Structure formats: C-alpha cells, structure tokens
Amino acid sequence: MAKELLDVRNLSVHYKILAGWVYAVDNVSFKLNRGETMGLVGESGCGKTTTGYGITQLLASNAYIKDGSKVIFDGKDFVEMSTEPSKKFSGYRKIIEYHPEMRKYRWKRISMIFQGAMNAFNPVFKVGDQIIEAILTHEDITEEEARKRVEELYKLVGIPVDRIDNYPHEYSGGMKQRAMIAMALALNPDLIIADEPTTALDVVTQDKILGEMARLQKEKDVAMIIITHDVSVVAEMAHKMAVMYAGHLVETGTTRQIFKETAHPYMEALLKAFPSIKGERKRLKAIPGSPPDLSNPPKGCRFAPRCPYAKDICLEEEPPVVEVAPGHFSKCHFAEELYGELGGEAK
Ligand SMILES: Nc1ncnc2c1ncn2[C@@H]1O[C@H](COP(=O)(O)OP(=O)(O)OP(=O)(O)O)[C@@H](O)[C@H]1O
Ligand SMILES: [Mg+2]
C-alpha cells in the first residue's frame, strides 16, 4: 500500500484587501502519497501559488485561513500547529510568524522552488556557499561534509562541479534553475513544491530539466507538487493532477484520467490552449473571456460564464464534486453527462 504523505482538506485561503476579500483558494482538497508527483494546473491568478504556500504556511501577511481548513503532513496538521484564531475576523485563523516547529518542517521535510526562482540566489554570495549555508543551518555536519554533498548534488542535477564557486550572475538561466533544484534536494525532503519551475526557460532546456526532475524524483523517492499554467509540462511526469479554476479545484484524478477521459469543460479548454509539446501540431484555441475577479466571484459555477456547455443551473448553484470514475472527480453539474464526451487528448 502506498503511504500517504499529505492530506489537504477544505483548505480556504482568503486575502484581506481594502475593498473586502479576495477568495483566492476555496475548499481545496487533495491527497498525495510518498514518492508521488502531482501537477497543479490552471490559468494565471487562479490560486495555485496560494495553495502551494498554504501548505507550507508561508503566506502574505494579509492572508487568512478559514476555520475548518486542514493541511495534514505526515500525520501533523500544520493549520492547527501554526495558526491561531484571528482577533480581527471571526471564522478565520492567522499564521503565527516565526513558528519554531513549522520552521523545522520547511526545507528539512518540505522544500520549495519559488516562482521566479531564477533570482532567488543572493547576487553577492557564491551559489555553492548559499547551498552549503542552507545545509549547515539545518544539519549538524561540518562545512567540508556539506561541500561534499553540494558536489554530489551538482553532479546529480547536471552542473559542472567547478561552478560551485561562481556567483549567480555567472550562471545561465537553466543553470540557476538546476542549482535551485539542487538546493531543494539538499536536505533530502519528503516533499518538493515547485512553483512554475521552468516557465522562464526555452522549450528545449525546459524539457531537459523536467526530464531530470522526473529522474531525480524516482531516484530519491521524493513527492512533488509541480505548479504550472502549461498542462503539457506535467503531462509526462505527474502521476496525478489537480486542475484549478478561480480558487476551486474543478477536476482531480490520475494524469491519464484527466488527459484521456477529461470530465470538466475547463480542462477541455486548457487542453486546446496548451497542446502537447511532442504531439501533432494543432491550432491553439485560446479560452474565450478571462478568469473572474476573485474579490467578487460569480455565484454558481465559477467557470459558467466562459463554459460552452453552461445551462441556467450553472449560473445559480455551485456544482457538487462528482466522482465520475474511481478516484476521478469533477466539480460540474453535468459531470456525468459530459464524461466521455469532452475532447480529451485521445480524440
Ligand atoms: N497578498 C495578496 N493580497 C491580495 N490578493 C492577492 C495576494 N496574493 C495573491 N492575490 C490574489 O489571489 C489570487 C490568486 O493568486 P495566486 O498567486 O495564488 O495565483 P496563481 O494561480 O499562482 O497565478 P500565476 O499563475 O499568475 O502565478 C489572484 O487573484 C491574486 O491577485
Ligand atoms: Mg503563481
């Protein structure tokens, strides 16, 4: 039996702004086993990064987590551990900054590759030293041992070892990204959350690095959540997928199910917008309209205003989550009817 590592249950994260609230993440639930890779996909602004950092409890200071949200990592509920009831807003919890126990989990058990990580290294220190420093902060080993480990990591991610003593500006974009991956692996975490890890790179480098990440994931048996707006990026390396639209998870299942037996109109639209890198050339079809303003999301189904299959009920009532096949869920009023009818990759 695969061993469960992460259980996110009804996670809701809202941002307080002057004019009210931004409902960035609402009732998001999914599970991840040890050694499993999940792709979290969706258009820009739909709440992917907020979900990722809701897991590690590294959210902006105006973020509030709704009561009832759970993030259970290896049996420990991070929300219970690292938040307290908000004094200002009832029904919400606030993250306790500098929570000592939470800090032990970050990097050591869960590491992150941040969106825009190309600039994550401090320009005035050598890259290798920054990784050595990260190791020494968390582990009781000598500097020499830490340097040895960085050398091994560089070999693993494909950077020449003599580059350890270079400064960030001496690295190419692809090398910086590889160094970030080395940093994420440095403390042998159980989970890596990679937020748009290759978006800034050209397609060839992107493909190479993703291939290497997939290999490392297997070799190290580390679980991964890969966040991306480009579904073709995760098609080959993710075991399962969670499709996000306007703060909701609209479809979850194995990668095969999501690509071949698509059960949500939004995923169908994404597949048309991002055809596979290796597949035949098809005409790209942009999704008409744009995602809603999350400070005032539409009632009913949040995708309804852009959905070609929408009927009256979709504009009125929030859809239930329907299990269309074992382990395959779609948040759509017409999930059963559309299942098997939508244009997945196979058609
Ligand atoms: N600190 C904040 N205060 C207010 N609103 C925020 C804050 N951070 C993010 N948001 C809003 O929350 C929503 C979700 O943002 P998030 O960054 O999670 O989306 P995303 O899916 O990662 O987008 P992208 O693909 O562009 O990175 C967006 O509407 C965004 O504008
Ligand atoms: Mg993001």
Side-chain angles (χ1 to χ4, degrees):
M1 260 285 279
K3 200 163 176 298
E4 187 172 296
L5 180 66
L6 178 69
D7 180 3
V8 176
R9 274 190 233 159
N10 299 317
L11 175 66
S12 296
V13 181
H14 300 164
Y15 294 107
K16 183 74 190 110
I17 52 170
L18 265 177
W21 292 92
V22 177
Y23 302 98
V25 169
D26 261 330
N27 271 315
V28 160
S29 301
F30 63 86
K31 290 181 181 190
L32 196 67
N33 288 328
R34 284 185 182 276
E36 204 170 41
T37 299
M38 184 182 96
L40 179 59
V41 304
E43 279 166 293
S44 185
C46 65
K48 305 180 299 295
T49 296
T50 306
T51 302
Y53 299 141
I55 295 169
T56 52
Q57 310 277 296
L58 267 185
L59 291 160
S61 58
N62 63 334
Y64 290 80
I65 298 181
K66 236 178 125 182
D67 277 347
S69 305
K70 285 186 193 305
V71 176
I72 301 164
F73 178 85
D74 202 13
K76 187 101 186 164
D77 183 1
F78 285 168
V79 177
E80 190 184 298
M81 182 172 88
S82 72
T83 66
E84 57 191 8
S86 162
K87 293 184 189 79
K88 277 201 235 152
F89 305 107
S90 75
Y92 283 104
R93 300 181 70 87
K94 187 94 194 95
I95 290 170
I96 305 164
E97 275 177 62
Y98 308 115
H99 194 284
E101 209 179 334
M102 192 64 227
R103 290 180 78 123
K104 280 191 221 146
Y105 280 89
R106 287 190 208 121
W107 291 111
K108 187 85 197 86
R109 309 264 336 253
I110 306 181
S111 65
M112 290 155 282
I113 299 176
F114 296 102
Q115 190 165 6
M118 311 272 278
N119 306 313
F121 288 105
N122 188 328
V124 302
F125 297 107
K126 294 171 183 168
V127 177
D129 285 349
Q130 297 186 51
I131 304 176
I132 290 169
E133 181 68 36
I135 298 173
L136 292 177
T137 309
H138 292 272
E139 277 184 37
D140 196 16
I141 58 174
T142 66
E143 196 171 329
E144 208 175 314
E145 286 165 325
R147 193 178 170 91
K148 272 237 151 58
R149 189 180 306 169
V150 175
E151 284 174 12
E152 280 159 26
L153 286 165
Y154 265 48
K155 281 184 205 148
L156 214 56
V157 299
I159 310 177
V161 169
D162 59 6
R163 294 294 207 127
I164 287 181
D165 292 318
N166 283 171
Y167 289 89
H169 74 266
E170 296 172 286
Y171 278 36
S172 69
M175 259 160 115
K176 273 189 224 169
Q177 209 59 31
R178 285 170 205 266
M180 266 316 293
I181 295 167
M183 176 99 137
L185 289 167
L187 295 153
N188 286 316
D190 298 305
L191 171 65
I192 297 178
I193 300 177
D195 193 0
E196 303 279 5
T198 59
T199 304
L201 305 170
D202 66 84
V203 179
V204 177
T205 313
Q206 184 169 332
D207 212 36
K208 250 200 208 145
I209 292 188
L210 287 168
E212 271 153 32
M213 279 175 77
R215 177 177 58 80
L216 291 169
Q217 182 272 326
K218 271 201 206 92
E219 235 173 84
K220 298 249 172 193
D221 200 29
V222 55
M224 267 203 247
I225 296 177
I226 300 184
I227 297 177
T228 175
H229 65 277
D230 181 347
V231 290
S232 66
V233 159
V234 282
E236 279 170 54
M237 64 184 300
H239 302 109
K240 57 180 3 178
M241 305 237 308
V243 184
M244 195 158 194
Y245 184 76
H248 285 156
L249 282 192
V250 295
E251 187 170 355
T252 53
T254 65
T255 303
R256 209 202 126 70
Q257 286 171 332
I258 303 264
F259 275 81
K260 305 286 183 199
E261 295 155 20
T262 310
H264 197 285
Y266 179 59
M267 183 60 199
E268 181 191 49
L270 275 185
L271 282 169
K272 286 184 182 150
F274 294 97
S276 84
I277 307 177
K278 299 200 169 75
E280 55 171 307
R281 288 202 159 272
K282 278 183 257 172
R283 243 185 119 79
L284 298 193
K285 211 164 171 279
I287 309 173
S290 49
D293 172 4
L294 287 180
S295 63
N296 183 23
K299 80 172 188 181
C301 171
R302 292 184 178 178
F303 187 57
R306 302 172 78 188
C307 179
Y309 309 99
K311 303 219 167 68
D312 291 347
I313 185 176
C314 306
L315 298 163
E316 291 300 322
E317 279 174 38
E318 185 176 330
V321 174
V322 181
E323 187 167 19
V324 291
H328 187 185
F329 298 88
S330 169
K331 188 177 171 62
C332 173
H333 285 295
F334 298 99
E336 298 279 6
E337 287 92 324
L338 293 173
Y339 178 61
E341 298 297 318
L342 295 174
E345 213 182 40
K347 288 143 210 153

